[in-house]
Amino acid sequence: MNRWVQRDRARGEPALKACKQGRPPRPKLNRQQLAQTTRLVRDHAPDQLELPYALWTREAVGQLIQQQWGVRLSQQAVGNYLRAWSLSPQKPTKRAREQCPEVLRNWMEHQYPALPVVETTGQRFGCNLISTLTNRGTLRFQVFEGSFTTEVFLEFLRRLVRSVPRKVFLIVDRHAVHRAQRVQQWVAQHSDQMELFYLLPYSHERNPDEYLNQDIKANATR
């Protein structure tokens, strides 16, 4: 009431008129500005548009809009525009520089489908903890990455062929243990029970076991 009386004494009744309530209207881009901004983001890197960024972020897009149209937007408003444009942060795909796309394509399209189709079971050897049942309950033993030796792998192969009543077609990566001379000799001597197939070098993204191993290390052991 005191403020109202002071306004009336200072400026009269016009000072008592009601003002607009709520937040001020947010600046918006028209359709032409939206289309042009979308093209700039999709077809250019920020530094090509003289922006001090290497990759597109909400801050970079907001600065682009201000630079092009003189409209200053909040980070939330920029995020709303990006979602409307179906633009979202993407995790880069990790691929080795040494990878040969032609060899990889040939493996995926011809060599891998040609492998014999048998009943399979995924077994990871080298994870932190493996469990097996015994007559006294559950026997647990740890196999750490550092102890993954040729003898350990050979013992795994011996147990594997004993547990499977048919020939085993085992796909492995190119770990030094998998390619050891003793392993090669053992497999050759048991060719009627076991045959090894090697994944391509520098193609970890094509090895499902890598994703399983990552999940075990990141989540399962907790």
Side-chain angles (χ1 to χ4, degrees):
M1 291 294 295
N2 290 336
R3 289 197 296 270
W4 293 347
V5 171
Q6 292 173 4
R7 290 177 185 175
D8 179 65
R9 290 176 178 174
R11 303 192 298 273
E13 289 188 12
L16 302 178
K17 290 183 178 181
C19 301
K20 292 183 178 181
Q21 301 296 317
R23 297 179 179 177
R26 296 179 179 178
K28 296 182 179 180
L29 302 178
N30 57 41
R31 291 184 178 180
Q32 181 180 359
Q33 293 171 334
L34 288 173
Q36 180 65 17
T37 303
T38 305
R39 285 194 295 269
L40 290 174
V41 172
R42 291 184 184 275
D43 300 339
H44 300 81
D47 55 355
Q48 293 176 323
L49 301 175
E50 299 182 356
L51 295 173
Y53 301 93
L55 300 174
W56 285 114
T57 61
R58 287 194 299 177
E59 292 80 3
V61 175
Q63 189 167 334
L64 171 67
I65 293 174
Q66 185 176 1
Q67 173 182 291
Q68 292 291 324
W69 317 114
V71 177
R72 186 180 182 86
L73 299 176
S74 65
Q75 293 299 302
Q76 181 178 356
V78 174
N80 293 337
Y81 278 127
L82 293 176
R83 282 190 292 272
W85 300 336
S86 299
L87 298 177
S88 60
Q90 302 295 317
K91 185 177 181 179
T93 301
K94 295 182 179 179
R95 293 182 181 176
R97 296 179 181 177
E98 299 87 348
Q99 184 184 103
C100 179
E102 293 298 328
V103 175
L104 177 60
R105 187 179 302 108
N106 182 64
W107 162 265
M108 296 301 298
E109 295 180 358
H110 302 288
Q111 298 181 29
Y112 182 74
L115 297 182
V117 179
V118 296
E119 295 180 2
T120 60
T121 175
Q123 300 193 36
R124 170 64 184 171
F125 209 67
C127 59
N128 289 336
L129 185 65
I130 298 177
S131 299
T132 181
L133 296 178
T134 67
N135 56 356
R136 291 181 176 273
T138 302
L139 172 65
R140 298 186 175 184
F141 61 95
Q142 292 186 338
V143 181
F144 295 98
E145 295 289 349
S147 64
F148 185 42
T149 63
T150 301
E151 186 56 41
V152 171
F153 183 57
L154 285 174
E155 179 61 23
F156 168 72
L157 296 183
R158 297 187 189 104
R159 294 185 182 187
L160 188 59
V161 295
R162 287 199 301 266
S163 63
V164 180
R166 63 185 66 180
K167 184 174 181 178
V168 176
F169 299 90
L170 185 63
I171 302 176
V172 296
D173 58 24
R174 293 177 178 268
H175 191 284
V177 169
H178 298 155
R179 296 179 288 108
Q181 184 176 1
R182 290 177 57 197
V183 172
Q184 300 295 328
Q185 294 174 348
W186 187 91
V187 172
Q189 295 169 0
H190 298 79
S191 58
D192 58 330
Q193 297 176 289
M194 166 76 66
E195 187 171 351
L196 293 185
F197 296 89
Y198 293 94
L199 292 172
L200 295 180
Y202 309 113
S203 301
H204 299 291
E205 75 279 0
R206 294 295 182 178
N207 184 1
D209 190 55
E210 293 291 340
Y211 299 99
L212 173 62
N213 189 32
Q214 173 63 26
D215 189 49
I216 290 175
K217 291 182 177 180
N219 302 312
T221 55
R222 297 179 184 175

